[in-house]
């Protein structure tokens, strides 16, 4: 594949790589992205995913939110793929400083990555909106299963009766300030910045890459992105396949 030799050389020479990724990093683990032809935006729902995954929708139509969320984002059994594993390996070798991800699936940590900036939160953490009780992935799944057995609304409830909300950043909600600050630091100091598996359509996350000041900006994606023209290296391919060759 064109460009792989250059990427390999840049990776070999660097000990300050930063990775910025999106939903395309997890499609090889069987989790659908939003904007691919078979992504969630091209499937039919009563509302577009952007509406369902908004704060207003969550508050007003909680049960419908959870129907979508449980089917499409709370996926059991998804395993890290070659991309997640390679990034964890580079971090352990001291080559990679941080993974900055828009994903909420927790697969980078499952692969062994330690420094992971989760810009949009994680399905692994959930809190009761009333008493603040914490529920992990299994915990919220259990509460959703309980609710669906009761046959009524699909709303996970805490033992105090409050509604449980995932610790994911919904549309209309702000990103965590500290995570943004650390991401800016990592990107502005990076030697190699690898952007992969993202349409770069979701802001403010996508705007973070403007902080990069180096000359080794790599984009690995299946479809063109708005930043291809600024990249020093563009590779059209699957991120897992590409990284595993480096
Ligand atoms: P997106 O769906 O807008 O874009 C994904 C991009 O990745 C597309 O351009 C597609 O061509 C490309 N792609 C798909 N598979 C690929 C592969 N194997 N290798 C290389 N490229 C591949 O995703 P986005 O930019 O991350 O924005 C969607 C938002 O939705 C994000 O904010 C994210 O939080 C959320 N989301 C997360 C997950 C997850 O956690 N796994 C899944 C769906 C959506």
């Amino acid at each position: 594949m064109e460009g792989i030799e250059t990427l390999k050389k840049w990776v070999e020479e660097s000990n300050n790589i930063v990775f910025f990724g999106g939903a395309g990093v997890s499609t090889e683990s069987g989790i659908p992205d939003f904007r691919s032809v078979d992504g969630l935006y091209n499937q039919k729902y009563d509302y577009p995913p952007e509406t369902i995954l908004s704060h207003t929708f969550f508050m007003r139509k909680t049960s419908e939110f959870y129907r979508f969320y449980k089917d499409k984002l709370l996926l059991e059994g998804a395993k890290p793929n070659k991309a997640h594993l390679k990034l964890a390996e580079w971090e352990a070798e001291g080559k990679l400083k941080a993974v900055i991800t828009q994903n909420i699936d927790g697969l980078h940590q499952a692969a062994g990555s330690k420094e992971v900036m989760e810009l949009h939160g994680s399905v692994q953490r959930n809190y009761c909106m009333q008493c603040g009780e914490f529920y992990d992935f299994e915990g919220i799944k259990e509460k959703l299963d309980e609710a669906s057995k009761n046959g009524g609304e699909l709303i996970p409830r805490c033992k105090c009766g409050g509604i449980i909300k995932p610790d994911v950043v919904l549309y209309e909600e702000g990103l965590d300030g500290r995570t943004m600050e650390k991401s800016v630091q990592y990107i502005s100091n990076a030697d190699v910045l690898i952007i992969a598996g993202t349409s770069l359509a979701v802001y403010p996350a996508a705007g973070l890459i403007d902080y990069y000041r180096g000359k080794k900006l790599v984009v690995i994606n299946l479809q063109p992105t708005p930043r291809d023209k600024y990249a020093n290296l563009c590779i059209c391919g699957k991120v897992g396949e590409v990284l595993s060759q480096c």
Side-chain angles (χ1 to χ4, degrees):
M1 208 179 293
E2 216 177 313
I4 292 210
E5 285 310 314
T6 308
L7 177 58
K8 214 170 152 177
K9 185 167 176 287
W10 289 356
V11 168
E12 271 164 20
E13 288 168 357
S14 182
N15 60 4
N16 188 0
I17 303 166
V18 171
F19 182 88
F20 179 93
V25 176
S26 292
T27 52
E28 289 163 83
S29 296
I31 303 179
D33 65 5
F34 277 0
R35 292 175 184 82
S36 286
V37 276
D38 55 352
L40 296 180
Y41 277 4
N42 295 311
Q43 299 173 16
K44 285 269 168 278
Y45 295 100
D46 291 345
Y47 303 90
E50 244 157 25
T51 305
I52 302 176
L53 296 173
S54 69
H55 182 82
T56 308
F57 196 91
F58 178 84
M59 299 306 281
R60 292 199 185 143
K61 293 179 182 283
T62 314
S63 183
E64 259 184 276
F65 168 91
Y66 270 115
R67 258 176 241 293
F68 178 90
Y69 183 78
K70 183 170 179 272
D71 284 353
K72 302 297 172 190
L73 293 167
L74 207 59
L75 297 174
E76 223 165 357
K79 298 230 162 39
N81 63 47
K82 292 181 205 161
H84 301 105
L85 295 169
K86 180 59 87 171
L87 293 166
E89 195 182 303
W90 286 347
E91 185 184 10
E93 289 169 0
K95 303 187 80 55
L96 180 132
K97 291 277 189 255
V99 167
I100 301 167
T101 182
Q102 298 167 84
N103 292 350
I104 55 173
D105 53 35
L107 290 181
H108 286 292
Q109 289 91 335
S113 284
K114 301 278 181 277
E115 193 62 356
V116 183
M117 304 293 113
E118 291 178 316
L119 296 172
H120 294 156
S122 172
V123 295
Q124 308 289 333
R125 300 182 298 269
N126 308 274
Y127 296 95
C128 170
M129 293 200 293
Q130 202 160 283
C131 72
E133 177 83 13
F134 171 79
Y135 291 85
D136 64 7
F137 184 90
E138 291 308 322
I140 195 168
K141 267 213 108 103
E142 229 167 72
K143 292 289 175 190
L144 281 165
D145 288 345
E146 256 171 44
S148 78
K149 268 187 211 132
N150 294 338
E153 295 210 296
L154 191 64
I155 300 180
R157 288 202 179 267
C158 177
K159 39 191 181 278
C160 79
I163 296 174
I164 304 168
K165 184 177 182 290
D167 186 16
V168 300
V169 180
L170 300 175
Y171 288 94
E172 304 162 355
E173 294 179 344
L175 277 64
D176 177 65
R178 183 76 192 117
T179 310
M180 285 294 273
E181 260 173 46
K182 282 179 82 178
S183 302
V184 167
Q185 269 172 22
Y186 278 124
I187 290 177
S188 46
N189 293 325
D191 163 31
V192 180
L193 177 65
I194 303 175
I195 298 169
T198 172
S199 62
L200 295 173
V202 179
Y203 279 79
L208 280 172
I209 61 179
D210 290 338
Y211 288 94
Y212 179 64
R213 296 175 298 185
K215 289 197 164 43
K216 290 172 185 162
L217 178 66
V218 184
V219 175
I220 307 168
N221 214 59
L222 285 174
Q223 289 165 325
T225 83
R227 298 305 175 103
D228 292 2
K229 54 180 176 290
Y230 305 111
N232 303 99
L233 179 62
C234 256
I235 300 178
C236 176
K238 290 191 173 178
V239 57
E241 282 177 16
V242 172
L243 295 192
S244 61
Q245 291 176 62
C246 290

